[in-house]
Amino acid sequence: MAPGAAAAPEQTGTLIRGLREAGPRALLLEFATLDDVLACHQQLTTSPLEGQIDAVAAARTILLRFSCRASVRAAREALAVLQIGAFSAGDARQVELEVVYDGEDLPALAETLGMSVEALISWHTGQSWTGAFGGFAPGFTYCVPQGERAQALAVPRRSTPRTAVPESSVALAGEFSAVYPRVSPGGWQLIGRTPQVMWDLSRAEQDATSAGSESAGTGEQPSSPALVSPGDAVRYRAVAPEAIELSGRRRAVSATSSPSDGKSSPKQGEKVGQEAPALTVLSPGLQSLFQDFGRGGLSDLGVSRAGVADEAAALQANRLVGNTAETPVLEVLHSGLQLRAERDLVLAASGAESELTITPDAGSSDSDGAAPGAPVPARTAPSRTAPLRAPFLLVAGETLSVGAPRRGMRTVLAVRGGFQAEPVLGSVSADTMSGLGPAPLQAGQSLRVGPEPARSVGEPESGDWEPAAEIPDAGPVTLRFTYGPREDWFSSAEARRLTEQDWLVTQESNRIGIRLDVDPEDAQARALERSAEGELPSEGVVRGSLQMPPAGRPVLFLNDHPVTGGYPVIGVVIDQDLPRAAQLAPGQSIRLAAVDPDTLEPLT
């Protein structure tokens, strides 16, 4: 598709107004009304398309993410003849939310709407609501009035958002009602509080592997940790303030329980199962995280995929030590991690060009040739450098230190047998935005390793493995992308200029996204200007999205990105180049190259 050209609506049944590509592996479906969104979303979650991983509903769109490009092409054909019935709440799960109506904004909002406080409360409790979609945060579900007595109000957002909305606040904005599951910023109008817990991992099944698999499409999902999920029928009921006090006592009791089985959580350093600690963290460095390949299929609940940022490096490191492809690894940001081996281990590192130093045990020595019984001097064995992208032995008592990288930002460390951590929703990945998954490593923490794998060191799981991505050098790094879904918010000239000037990686970059800026030394470079007016309703976004805020400086979404966003996405960096993007350091320059989504060949 030519840059700047609007996606032409396709004949896709009675409800879908148009399809837009959101990278090579996703489609954005457009609808006229939220009711149409609910009807189509219900059908696509009940009967997923071939290869469908996620179906993320929003106010006027559904984002469908697929396992491969072939599934996208098949989905286009299927959607062209898909007949969508009306939304049905007949088999919806019924949820009643208790509310103490004492919100800070309640009196002023009632006055703005020309109602009494009592009338506003009566309106809120007197009709049925439907969970429409999630996306702001895990457990935050946008609810809309539904049914014969449905009566929506146009509720204005606050002119200045709060920096911290209290947990469990019941709020209104636009046509929606929702509950904030955790303390977070927000500009909605607060009308009350609920004593109920909106997001509780103990509701999910202990084994949620089926939901976290990228082979989703079976329709099978674990129990949801969200009290309200998309499609649920919701009623609000007014309760006395004493209900909040009772809830506080319940939460104090549940806080001592494990999210998976309700039993006491193991304390730091305690044994898990029968395995003794294999490593001790002497220093965690800037940020060291447990990672695997993330949580697929849960975007509708506001849970992003997360997972290791440099997937190619994780695959290579695991192959080198004989692990399966998705065995948990450590992702080390920049430098400073120090691990002491409590027993002999085989490890491998890939990703950033970091110096790996092995320091011997304080009591070790080179005693060859010494007389029996003679004193052994301490620290006569020298430190040594461990190789990158090759397996190496770490002997009991030795310390491995990760130094500052010469190139790249993230070192991926694998150990034979894999690092053990408590899975959350089927994955041990630490999600820095939502807080899901294991906490970052801490000094003094004991790390455990899984059983010895069947494959020998360096043996591939099956066939030939792809090599790890080349670490970007100081010069401009090329990242390939495909235009869409919202390139038509920019003129053709502006969309092309995205590829005609270099962009700099700023300090404001992390696992959520990389903020880009123009090169101040390039007199011709400038931020992009929109040609479309108005605001874009929030819609689903994929990893690799190049989101364009009004300032015209792109943000490249990485693994911990929000599930939905309200700024237009001009293009999506292809999956094959995201490992390279994960290694970009502040100050590096990049060049964005537009490619065809089918062939990945440059656009002419």
Side-chain angles (χ1 to χ4, degrees):
M1 184 184 303
E10 301 184 10
Q11 297 300 317
T12 55
T14 58
L15 300 182
I16 304 174
R17 299 183 64 191
L19 298 179
R20 294 172 177 262
E21 295 217 346
R25 298 184 183 181
L27 291 172
L28 189 70
L29 283 56
E30 296 181 300
F31 300 85
T33 68
L34 180 57
D35 285 343
D36 292 347
V37 171
L38 294 175
C40 187
H41 183 259
Q42 185 176 64
Q43 181 161 331
L44 291 173
T45 52
T46 303
S47 302
L49 301 175
E50 180 181 355
Q52 177 182 316
I53 294 172
D54 270 318
V56 182
R60 297 294 183 268
T61 60
I62 297 175
L63 178 74
L64 296 180
R65 190 166 66 90
F66 296 91
S67 58
C68 62
R69 180 65 181 172
S71 293
V72 172
R73 289 193 289 265
R76 278 187 168 274
E77 297 180 4
L79 291 168
V81 296
L82 183 67
Q83 297 298 316
I84 303 167
F87 175 78
S88 172
D91 56 353
R93 193 168 61 100
Q94 306 294 315
V95 179
E96 183 177 82
L97 293 179
E98 301 170 342
V99 181
V100 178
Y101 286 95
D102 59 358
E104 183 178 342
D105 299 323
L106 182 60
L109 177 60
E111 183 177 355
T112 299
L113 296 173
M115 309 168 67
S116 67
V117 169
E118 292 74 16
L120 181 53
I121 295 173
S122 178
W123 167 83
H124 196 240
T125 59
Q127 59 187 319
S128 296
W129 297 76
T130 294
F133 55 90
F136 174 71
F140 187 100
T141 302
Y142 296 74
C143 296
V144 292
Q146 196 74 20
E148 295 180 359
R149 300 179 58 189
Q151 180 188 4
L153 295 176
V155 178
R157 285 176 169 82
R158 289 172 55 88
S159 57
T160 302
R162 291 180 171 88
T163 57
V165 175
E167 178 183 349
S168 300
S169 294
V170 180
L172 301 174
E175 60 188 309
F176 303 109
S177 175
V179 180
Y180 285 82
R182 59 185 294 182
V183 176
S184 60
W188 288 34
Q189 304 282 355
L190 307 186
I191 63 171
R193 304 169 288 158
T194 179
Q196 290 157 280
V197 180
M198 303 305 297
W199 180 262
D200 186 352
L201 290 172
S202 67
R203 297 192 188 104
E205 294 176 355
Q206 185 171 0
D207 183 10
T209 305
S210 61
S213 171
E214 288 290 327
S215 61
T218 63
E220 298 179 4
Q221 292 289 337
S223 300
S224 173
L227 181 59
V228 177
S229 299
D232 287 349
V234 179
R235 292 299 296 260
Y236 294 97
R237 181 170 65 88
V239 297
E242 289 76 16
I244 296 290
E245 299 174 8
L246 176 61
S247 171
R249 291 194 292 270
R250 288 201 303 264
R251 294 187 193 189
V253 173
S254 64
T256 62
S257 302
S258 163
S260 59
D261 58 12
K263 297 178 182 178
S264 296
S265 301
K267 297 178 181 178
Q268 182 172 300
E270 288 184 345
K271 276 193 176 184
V272 177
Q274 300 301 315
E275 280 294 322
L279 292 154
T280 299
V281 180
L282 302 183
S283 172
L286 290 178
Q287 184 188 68
S288 299
L289 305 171
F290 289 107
Q291 295 292 349
D292 53 23
F293 278 71
R295 305 172 180 86
L298 296 174
S299 295
D300 240 5
L301 300 179
V303 177
S304 69
R305 179 177 174 273
V308 62
D310 188 341
E311 294 178 351
L315 289 171
Q316 183 181 61
N318 271 326
R319 176 185 64 82
L320 291 170
V321 296
N323 291 337
T324 57
E326 296 191 0
T327 300
V329 295
L330 289 181
E331 179 182 283
V332 184
L333 178 63
H334 201 263
S335 63
L337 176 66
Q338 291 185 324
L339 301 175
R340 184 182 65 225
E342 305 301 337
R343 58 183 173 88
D344 294 357
L345 298 165
V346 175
L347 299 98
S350 186
E353 299 279 356
S354 301
E355 183 170 289
L356 306 176
T357 303
I358 297 176
T359 306
D361 185 3
S364 67
S365 68
D366 183 0
S367 57
D368 292 345
V376 179
R379 291 193 177 278
T380 58
S383 298
R384 67 185 191 277
T385 300
L388 283 169
R389 302 180 182 87
F392 61 88
L393 177 66
L394 191 66
V395 177
E398 291 184 327
T399 296
L400 173 68
S401 301
V402 179
R406 296 180 295 275
R407 293 191 299 175
M409 284 293 289
R410 293 175 171 88
T411 300
V412 176
L413 189 66
V415 63
R416 184 166 171 79
F419 292 98
Q420 288 189 324
E422 187 72 21
V424 176
L425 298 177
S427 170
V428 303
S429 287
D431 185 338
T432 59
M433 188 180 74
S434 70
L436 290 177
L441 297 191
Q442 300 293 321
Q445 184 175 350
S446 296
L447 306 182
R448 289 164 178 78
V449 172
E452 186 85 0
R455 282 179 292 278
S456 60
V457 172
E459 179 186 354
E461 183 178 5
S462 61
D464 294 327
W465 287 33
E466 291 291 329
E470 181 182 354
I471 300 302
D473 209 338
V477 177
T478 299
L479 299 179
R480 295 168 293 173
F481 78 99
T482 60
Y483 279 108
R486 298 294 179 185
E487 78 277 22
D488 56 330
W489 277 57
F490 303 84
S491 69
S492 296
E494 286 294 279
R496 282 194 301 271
R497 197 161 56 77
L498 179 69
T499 68
E500 294 172 350
Q501 66 184 40
D502 292 344
W503 299 89
L504 291 182
V505 178
T506 72
Q507 293 285 347
E508 296 176 307
S509 301
N510 50 35
R511 280 180 50 88
I512 296 172
I514 298 173
R515 292 183 180 269
L516 303 176
D517 204 346
V518 297
D519 187 346
E521 297 183 1
D522 184 350
Q524 303 300 317
R526 60 178 174 81
L528 263 60
E529 296 179 0
R530 295 180 183 177
S531 58
E533 299 289 339
E535 294 294 326
L536 178 71
S538 291
E539 58 190 22
V541 291
V542 299
R543 185 175 62 130
S545 292
L546 290 163
Q547 192 184 66
M548 196 68 68
R553 294 170 173 83
V555 178
L556 169 56
F557 280 158
L558 294 183
N559 293 50
D560 295 352
H561 69 86
V563 172
T564 60
Y567 297 132
V569 171
I570 193 172
V572 177
V573 173
I574 65 174
D575 287 350
Q576 294 89 329
D577 286 4
L578 288 176
R580 182 179 299 175
Q583 297 293 354
L584 291 170
Q588 282 190 275
S589 63
I590 71 167
R591 175 62 63 94
L592 294 167
V595 297
D596 180 271
D598 287 307
T599 65
L600 302 187
E601 293 295 322
L603 292 182
T604 56

